[in-house]
Amino acid sequence: MKKSPLALLLALGLFHAPLSAFAATAPLDLVGPVSDYKIYVTAELDELASKTEQFTAAVKKGDLATAKKLYAPTRVHYEKIEPIAELFNDLDGAIDSRVNDHEKGVKAEDFTGFHRLEYSLFSENTTDGLGELADGLNKDVKDLQARVAGLTFPPEKVVGGAATLLEEVAATKIAGEEDRYSHTDLYDFQGNIDGAKKIVDLFRPQIEKQDKAFTAKVDKNFATVDKILAKYKTQDGGFETYDKIKDADRKALVGPVTTLAEDLSTLRGKLGLN
């Protein structure tokens, strides 16, 4: 017997909201992009888990140079899928909280994860005493993998994630708050931009049914941001440290990133997912 669109969504584990949430876009039209997005997130988590193992192994071996080198390329995979990771507040806090999230700062017992390791590696210039933190990060990333594997991806969270990624860049990351010890912020920017762009690309047919001019405007602003970031790419595929970025380029990023965040915040409404 042929399944209804709602039954198909439920069978694929991609739907948990009432049917009325999809006023503008037919539920069946969301199956493909949401399913493809889960595949994308799963692949990024696989990369995150694999690279986190390499990163933490270097930390535990006391190989400071390698640990520093692997820090940013590892974290970028988390940045790409942050809207999904943030659905698990406990793990997001353990993996990716910043020092200012903790009253006792770097000495706080619950300050763990990437940024706590970043502090010791780049500010204290040491790997001493980081074994427990390294093991904890590995465990938390694997836990995140397992939880996402069994997660029903809410379409409204997926679509809303595009704006979430850009809002964080505009609000705090351009100021250099995220990777304040390593100055590897441009990796994060690119990860957030790539993650947002992936969502737009996956839902492009549905968006263009509503507003074709909108996608043209968004694409133009994505291209502007990519052009600025490309100026600071290094030969190994990475980026210059953020302290080398000219003030003019930091300011040039603000406009298109803010506009992108504002435009993408309307996506859920365009697809009838508010």
Side-chain angles (χ1 to χ4, degrees), residues 79-94:
E79 293 296 319
K80 289 181 180 181
I81 53 95
E82 209 163 10
I84 297 301
E86 288 176 348
L87 293 176
F88 305 100
N89 291 332
D90 58 332
L91 288 179
D92 183 50

Side-chain angles (χ1 to χ4, degrees), residues 16-186:
H16 77 158
L19 187 59
S20 59
F22 301 99
T25 305
L28 191 58
D29 289 341
L30 296 169
V31 173
V34 174
S35 179
D36 287 345
Y37 185 66
K38 185 166 186 177
I39 291 170
Y40 168 76
V41 170
T42 300
E44 290 300 327
L45 279 170
D46 289 346
E47 284 293 308
L48 176 67
S50 174
K51 289 182 179 177
T52 298
E53 285 187 355
Q54 297 171 42
F55 167 61
T56 55
V59 171
K60 292 179 72 174
K61 286 177 183 176
D63 188 344
L64 181 64
T66 299
K68 284 183 174 182
K69 183 178 179 180
L70 294 177
Y71 169 76
T74 299
R75 248 180 58 76
V76 73
H77 297 287
Y78 190 87
E79 293 296 319
K80 289 181 180 181
I81 53 95
E82 209 163 10
I84 297 301
E86 288 176 348
L87 293 176
F88 305 100
N89 291 332
D90 58 332
L91 288 179
D92 183 50
I95 293 170
D96 199 44
S97 64
R98 304 176 192 175
V99 65
N100 43 294
D101 295 326
H102 304 273
E103 188 176 342
K104 295 183 180 179
V106 295
K107 302 300 181 184
E109 289 186 6
D110 61 346
F111 182 28
T112 60
F114 280 112
H115 293 303
R116 175 60 185 85
L117 291 168
E118 178 201 7
Y119 169 73
S120 286
L121 295 176
F122 292 90
S123 183
E124 296 186 310
N125 219 41
T126 184
T127 59
D128 292 347
L130 299 181
E132 188 175 338
L133 284 164
D135 287 340
L137 176 59
N138 242 327
K139 178 180 176 297
D140 289 335
V141 167
K142 288 176 181 175
D143 191 1
L144 180 63
Q145 258 190 310
R147 292 199 204 179
V148 169
L151 177 67
T152 294
F153 275 38
E156 68 276 11
K157 290 290 186 182
V158 174
V159 173
T164 299
L165 286 163
L166 273 299
E167 286 164 0
E168 190 172 354
V169 175
T172 62
K173 290 186 178 179
I174 287 179
E177 292 182 15
E178 178 85 0
D179 296 295
R180 65 192 71 187
Y181 310 116
S182 61
H183 305 298
T184 55
D185 304 81
L186 291 183

Side-chain angles (χ1 to χ4, degrees), residues 166 193 218 221-222 225 255-265:
L166 273 299
I193 294 294
V218 166
N221 278 315
F222 271 129
V225 174
V257 168
T258 302
T259 301
L260 271 171
E262 291 172 350
D263 286 344
L264 294 177
S265 70

Side-chain angles (χ1 to χ4, degrees), residues 203-224:
F203 287 87
R204 185 175 295 273
Q206 291 77 17
I207 299 167
E208 290 189 340
K209 283 183 182 178
Q210 307 296 329
D211 190 347
K212 200 162 187 175
F214 173 84
T215 53
K217 180 185 178 187
V218 166
D219 287 345
K220 183 177 179 181
N221 278 315
F222 271 129
T224 298

Side-chain angles (χ1 to χ4, degrees), residues 241-264:
T241 54
Y242 198 53
D243 51 347
K244 294 181 181 178
I245 306 306
K246 298 175 183 176
D247 285 342
D249 277 347
R250 291 194 187 197
K251 291 175 182 176
L253 280 167
V254 173
V257 168
T258 302
T259 301
L260 271 171
E262 291 172 350
D263 286 344
L264 294 177

